[in-house]
Amino acid sequence: METLHEQDKAVFMPRIGDKAPEFEAITTQGKIYFPSDYSGEWVILFSHPADFTPVCTSEFITFAHLEDKFKKANCNLVGLSIDGLYSHIAWLRTIKEKIEFKGMKNIEVKFPLIEDITMDIAKKYGMIQPGESKTQAVRAVFFIDPKGIVRAIIYYPLSLGRNFDEIYRALIAMQTSDRFSVATPADWKPGEDVIISPAGSCGMAEERMTLTNELKCEDWFFCTKQLNKDTVLNEILKN
Ligand code: BEZ
């Protein structure tokens, strides 16, 4: 029977607002110290179930295709699966040499892919979810901010490929919240109105609305304001 301690380890999961658990790892790009190597930048740590599987292949091609776009948003990508380094290298080589997905081909994965045959890192991040699989990581996406804090987490089951528009949208929305001290409403994209939180602001909201016309309040708890798309993108994206 498992000890309580082992059970605890199996179900541990970092939560939003926690410091990202630290580890050092061997990757396809050499050794990394996580999250300290990414201090001052955002990093998305994501897991996939296994090398040489089709959904994962489609995701890696998509992530690699988008890597420069994420880099422009000051965000690095780091992948992980419970496979060894030589499997990773052989899989990524095969992807580059043979696989085309949605018109993307000859794609080189340049971001680090962690080997985690011991599952130590996957367990630290709650990527092993035994109801789904005891031997493969689920498709987890951890958004970690420049201070090393976990800011958002998305989990997908093994059979469901991730939505990369949403991953990018969430990253830009969190950066916008940080930079402009606003919240972002449902399905928000740059250029759409943002939310001014009632706490601390809406006492002033109606006053400010009449004074500056800046805020639009449907009621005391629902105030929005315009935030120009170029203002957002010029602040957030590197040239
Ligand atoms: C896939 O990537 O295709 C996959 C991996 C594990 C289970 C199911 C699908």
Side-chain angles (χ1 to χ4, degrees), residues 16-220:
I16 291 175
D18 288 350
K19 278 186 75 144
E22 293 176 0
F23 60 84
E24 76 181 62
I26 307 292
T27 83
T28 48
Q29 303 293 325
K31 201 170 202 180
I32 61 167
Y33 297 88
F34 196 91
S36 56
D37 281 356
Y38 302 95
S39 175
E41 298 177 5
W42 285 75
V43 55
I44 291 177
L45 174 66
F46 68 98
S47 55
H48 70 277
D51 298 347
F52 292 101
T53 52
V55 177
C56 303
T57 299
S58 70
E59 292 186 320
F60 263 69
I61 290 174
T62 310
F63 249 143
H65 178 72
L66 294 173
E67 187 183 4
D68 284 348
K69 190 170 165 177
F70 280 91
K71 275 262 176 206
K72 273 197 166 169
N74 195 31
C75 182
N76 302 280
L77 305 175
V78 178
L80 175 150
S81 78
I82 296 156
D83 291 290
L85 185 62
Y86 295 108
S87 165
H88 284 342
I89 291 169
W91 179 46
L92 298 186
R93 190 192 307 129
T94 308
I95 286 177
K96 180 167 167 27
E97 289 174 359
K98 291 201 181 147
I99 312 288
E100 176 171 349
F101 173 65
K102 289 191 175 170
M104 296 176 275
K105 59 181 177 185
N106 197 29
I107 294 285
E108 189 172 342
V109 174
K110 295 184 188 139
F111 56 80
L113 173 52
I114 294 169
E115 75 156 6
D116 190 29
I117 31 184
T118 60
M119 298 196 200
D120 285 349
I121 301 168
K123 283 180 182 165
K124 264 191 170 182
Y125 273 81
M127 292 165 171
I128 305 298
Q129 305 198 0
E132 181 71 345
S133 173
K134 290 187 173 63
T135 54
Q136 296 179 315
V138 295
R139 299 180 197 281
V141 187
F142 285 85
F143 297 79
I144 295 162
D145 76 10
K147 293 185 176 143
I149 303 296
V150 176
R151 296 290 298 276
I153 307 169
I154 310 177
Y155 290 109
Y156 295 75
L158 302 190
S159 62
L160 176 59
R162 284 166 267 225
N163 182 311
F164 291 83
D165 287 341
E166 172 56 7
I167 292 170
Y168 185 73
R169 188 196 77 88
L171 173 73
I172 298 298
M174 286 185 281
Q175 294 185 353
T176 300
S177 289
D178 289 355
R179 173 62 189 82
F180 297 97
S181 303
V182 295
T184 52
D187 295 331
W188 179 86
K189 292 206 186 77
E192 295 178 4
D193 290 357
V194 292
I195 302 260
I196 304 300
S197 149
S201 70
C202 238
M204 301 184 306
E206 289 187 32
E207 196 183 323
R208 280 179 70 191
M209 181 174 56
T210 44
L211 282 177
T212 66
N213 249 358
E214 190 189 345
L215 296 188
K216 191 170 146 239
C217 290
E218 304 293 325
D219 204 333
W220 63 270

